[in-house]
Amino acid sequence: MALLGPLAIFLSSLTAIPLSYALNCLSTMRDPRLILIAGVSALTFVVAVPYFVVKSRPQRADSFFFVLGIFTFSSVIDLVIALENDGIIANFMAFYLRDGEPYLKTAHGTMISYWDGVAHYAMYLMILAAQSWNQSYRDVGIYWAASIGHSMLILMPGIFMGSHGVRWPCLLNTPYVVLPFYYGAKFLAQGRPREEMECPDEPRPVATSILKRPLDFVFILYFLAAGFLAVLRFMAALGGNVQWAKTYLTSLEPYLDDASQFPKVQMMVYLFYFLPYYSACIYGLLWPGQGWMLDGSLVHAGAAAQAQFSHIGASFHYRTPFSFRVPQNGRVRLLFWLINGSLFILPQLFAIRCLNFPSFFAKSSAAEKHVEGTAVTGFQKKKKAQ
């Protein structure tokens, strides 16, 4: 495939800019059904271009290569939407924001569009580079699937709960709901190469006691605090009568009560999905040898990064009503950044920690076997010396 296929994907994604401008100039683009037809036609085009480019090549591309045609195109569209929402450009996607998916005009819609247009697009370029060099992109693929999957997990319920209503162009979200979960499951099913799970010839001994692993102890404290915050913010978002929740809502994160409903859905995901993960990680750190933690940390890192970027950005964005933005108080803003910054950064650091020491999380912990083997060898040498 060399560079010809990735180049075709990249160039076809850039057609989103002139195409959106041309469609915006058509007076007929006020009918949601025509917008849906135009969207399906555009997605068909961006899949067909790379297919005809590489179909005659001796080294055929895998199916995910053609899927990237859809996602890179949508990333450019989303970046155009975000820039138009912020007034940086105009007359590109006004028709779509008016008659297609008006909920993308919200602060949350703007921030998820920025994330898709920048972060996801960068991931696509990394995957395309790996494909052209015949390298593995499994970790990037898992991170991407978790990130975009989480984005849709918040967007779709928010659409049905919000006041903008559901229109025909909402069906254009179907591939972005189905494909990330399908390919994410496919990447996870591939498993890690065996050499990644084995210790080096002379690995550094790994202590099994949590008291001898201060970094892991810090992560346990983080997961406990994050679990408490998940419960507190859920109660605050849904109008709980607990005084702590009321104070948190009014004094620190009034955005949780925003009428768009997206922050409420986000807090529900934190409680029902993230909280069980926090509990499982605490167990995995206390009792090493949980092989699922390697890929689990990647999934959580991708979802947490997308979640916190959107939540933090929307909490300050001008499209959020002033009364729901973060209060203009130095102490409050510092606390807001400490909480939400930690929920963004620490999952990334935990994923790095897991991926740097895979043998510690392997089933039948290779690290533990090494420690035991070292102890037995030392005892045998001592016995011989005697």
Side-chain angles (χ1 to χ4, degrees):
M1 185 170 60
L3 293 176
L4 186 60
L7 183 61
I9 292 283
F10 174 73
L11 294 178
S12 64
S13 71
L14 296 182
T15 62
I17 299 173
L19 179 61
S20 61
Y21 183 80
L23 291 175
N24 191 71
C25 295
L26 297 177
S27 59
T28 55
M29 284 296 116
R30 289 182 175 272
D31 188 337
R33 290 169 295 183
L34 289 178
I35 294 176
L36 174 62
I37 294 172
V40 172
S41 302
L43 295 181
T44 303
F45 168 77
V46 296
V47 172
V49 169
Y51 173 78
F52 286 110
V53 168
V54 304
K55 76 169 187 175
S56 60
R57 309 295 292 183
Q59 183 181 358
R60 297 295 296 275
D62 61 20
S63 61
F64 190 61
F65 170 77
F66 303 108
V67 169
L68 289 176
I70 297 176
F71 286 100
T72 53
F73 180 85
S74 66
S75 286
V76 176
I77 286 289
D78 281 343
L79 184 58
V80 171
I81 288 175
L83 294 174
E84 186 148 339
N85 280 343
D86 281 346
I88 299 174
I89 60 175
N91 300 323
F92 281 86
M93 293 296 291
F95 76 98
Y96 194 79
L97 293 169
R98 181 187 62 244
D99 301 308
E101 296 189 78
Y103 39 81
L104 293 179
K105 291 190 295 185
T106 63
H108 181 84
T110 303
M111 299 314 298
I112 65 172
S113 296
Y114 271 124
W115 184 260
D116 188 49
V118 178
H120 289 161
Y121 196 78
M123 296 178 205
Y124 301 143
L125 295 180
M126 293 172 65
I127 293 172
L128 286 170
Q131 287 181 336
S132 63
W133 296 331
N134 293 321
Q135 295 180 348
S136 173
Y137 53 88
R138 181 179 180 273
D139 286 351
V140 180
I142 291 174
Y143 191 94
W144 159 79
S147 176
I148 194 170
H150 176 273
S151 175
M152 301 311 297
L153 191 62
I154 304 301
L155 181 66
M156 298 310 294
I159 293 172
F160 292 103
M161 293 169 58
S163 59
H164 293 95
V166 181
R167 307 184 185 186
W168 283 105
C170 183
L171 292 174
L172 292 172
N173 290 303
T174 302
Y176 310 104
V177 173
V178 176
L179 293 176
F181 287 99
Y182 170 77
Y183 281 100
K186 187 176 180 180
F187 294 143
L188 291 171
Q190 289 175 359
R192 292 189 167 275
R194 188 170 183 177
E195 56 270 17
E196 286 188 19
M197 308 302 295
E198 294 176 352
C199 291
D201 293 337
E202 293 185 3
R204 189 174 171 184
V206 181
T208 55
S209 172
I210 188 62
L211 298 178
K212 296 180 180 179
R213 291 181 280 125
L215 180 60
D216 288 345
F217 184 73
V218 171
F219 280 122
I220 287 179
L221 295 179
Y222 159 71
F223 288 128
L224 288 171
F228 171 76
L229 284 170
V231 176
L232 179 65
R233 299 207 295 179
F234 172 79
M235 291 190 295
L238 270 70
N241 290 323
V242 179
Q243 186 58 43
W244 280 17
K246 291 181 179 180
T247 303
Y248 187 91
L249 177 65
T250 57
S251 303
L252 192 60
E253 292 198 55
Y255 173 65
L256 296 178
D257 202 29
D258 185 71
S260 68
Q261 305 300 318
F262 292 119
K264 290 182 173 61
V265 178
Q266 180 66 79
M267 295 307 113
M268 292 171 68
V269 169
Y270 266 104
L271 183 73
F272 296 120
Y273 291 90
F274 284 28
L275 182 57
Y277 170 78
Y278 299 151
S279 304
C281 282
I282 293 173
Y283 176 85
L285 289 172
L286 291 175
W287 288 275
Q290 311 301 318
W292 60 266
M293 290 185 68
L294 289 169
D295 291 338
S297 65
L298 266 179
V299 172
H300 178 245
Q306 195 283 327
Q308 287 304 119
F309 177 86
S310 302
H311 182 75
I312 293 172
S315 297
F316 288 97
H317 201 271
Y318 80 95
R319 287 186 177 273
T320 297
F322 183 81
S323 59
F324 294 120
R325 298 180 207 167
V326 181
Q328 294 183 339
N329 179 289
R331 287 185 178 179
V332 170
R333 293 201 166 188
L334 177 61
L335 184 58
F336 174 89
W337 279 107
L338 285 175
I339 291 174
N340 289 280
S342 298
L343 292 173
F344 184 107
I345 296 172
L346 286 176
Q348 317 307 313
L349 297 179
F350 184 67
I352 294 172
R353 183 262 181 273
C354 292
L355 295 176
N356 283 341
F357 299 94
S359 60
F360 182 68
F361 298 98
K363 294 180 180 179
S364 300
S365 177
E368 189 173 343
K369 286 182 178 180
H370 173 75
V371 173
E372 293 175 355
T374 303
V376 171
T377 303
F379 176 76
Q380 290 174 345
K381 288 182 178 178
K382 186 176 180 181
K383 190 174 182 181
K384 287 181 179 179
Q386 291 175 349

